[in-house]
Structure formats: C-alpha cells, structure tokens
Amino acid sequence: MKIAFPTSNEKTICDYIPFCKFFLIYDTEKKEKKLINNPMFEIVKEKHIKKRDCGENALHTGEILPPFLKEHGVDMIVSKTLGEGMLDNLEIYNIKYRLTDDTDIENHIK
C-alpha cells in the first residue's frame, strides 16, 4: 500500500493541502519513502495566491489531486482536513483517506 502525506518539511502533515510543497509517499510493502512535488503548490506559487484568498472550491484541489495521486500509485491519503469535493473524487479514484490531528508523519508509518 502507498500512503500519501501532504508536507512541506518531510516530517509533519500540513494544515492546508494546496500550500504544502510536497507529498511524502510511503510504500508499506517496500518500507520506502518518496517525495514528489505537489502540483497545487505550483499553482499557488505561480498565481501568488494567499490562503486568505481561497474560498470554497476556489483552487479545485479536489479535482486535480485525486487523479495525480492515483498516477503515483497512491492507495490512501492521510490529512488534517479534506473538503467535500476532494472526498467525492477520492472515492471515484478508489483512494482511501484518514483524517488526523497527529501531524508527525513517523507516527503514521511505524
């Protein structure tokens, strides 16, 4: 199973996915970690979007990330929050999710 964690520092889960620089993908079978760029962060950076300027559905994160994660073989995402559109599209792409308040990635992969 491959699990994706939105992060900017490879150690903690970010609060808001579009503003995370990366996804840390952990392969539970191979016990390997892989860091990939978050395409949403590139959009935010390119358009100089501030978190306070983001309304519901403003960035279309829920439409962009599920197919991107599926292309990388992700089976599950662990996040602090997920919007309704993201949840709907994760289901379509058969990606499970787990919501957590524990931001320490290592606690989730032990």
Side-chain angles (χ1 to χ4, degrees):
M1 173 181 272
K2 290 185 180 178
I3 306 170
F5 300 92
T7 185
S8 286
N9 61 15
E10 302 181 48
K11 297 181 185 326
T12 58
I13 296 171
C14 287
D15 289 338
Y16 193 54
I17 291 176
F19 292 89
C20 301
K21 294 179 182 177
F22 314 105
F23 281 96
L24 178 70
I25 299 178
Y26 180 69
D27 187 322
T28 61
E29 294 171 13
K30 296 179 181 176
K31 308 287 188 217
E32 294 176 349
K33 297 176 188 176
K34 179 181 176 184
L35 200 64
I36 59 172
N37 289 328
N38 178 359
M40 293 307 305
F41 182 74
E42 297 303 319
I43 292 168
V44 165
K45 190 169 69 172
E46 180 181 302
K47 295 184 179 184
H48 305 286
I49 298 170
K50 304 278 188 246
K51 197 181 298 187
R52 67 176 178 267
D53 298 331
C54 296
E56 187 174 335
N57 300 320
L59 298 175
H60 303 282
T61 305
E63 297 169 19
I64 296 168
L65 283 183
F68 171 79
L69 293 172
K70 198 62 172 181
E71 286 175 17
H72 288 275
V74 170
D75 302 296
M76 175 184 276
I77 183 171
V78 178
S79 182
K80 290 184 74 173
T81 61
L82 294 170
E84 192 174 310
M86 176 74 87
L87 293 172
D88 289 344
N89 286 306
L90 288 172
E91 184 177 342
I92 289 167
Y93 285 91
N94 199 28
I95 299 173
K96 296 177 174 93
Y97 68 91
R98 182 173 49 202
L99 299 178
T100 185
D101 289 326
D102 183 357
T103 61
D104 187 335
I105 293 172
E106 284 298 319
N107 289 342
H108 295 279
I109 61 176
K110 289 181 181 177

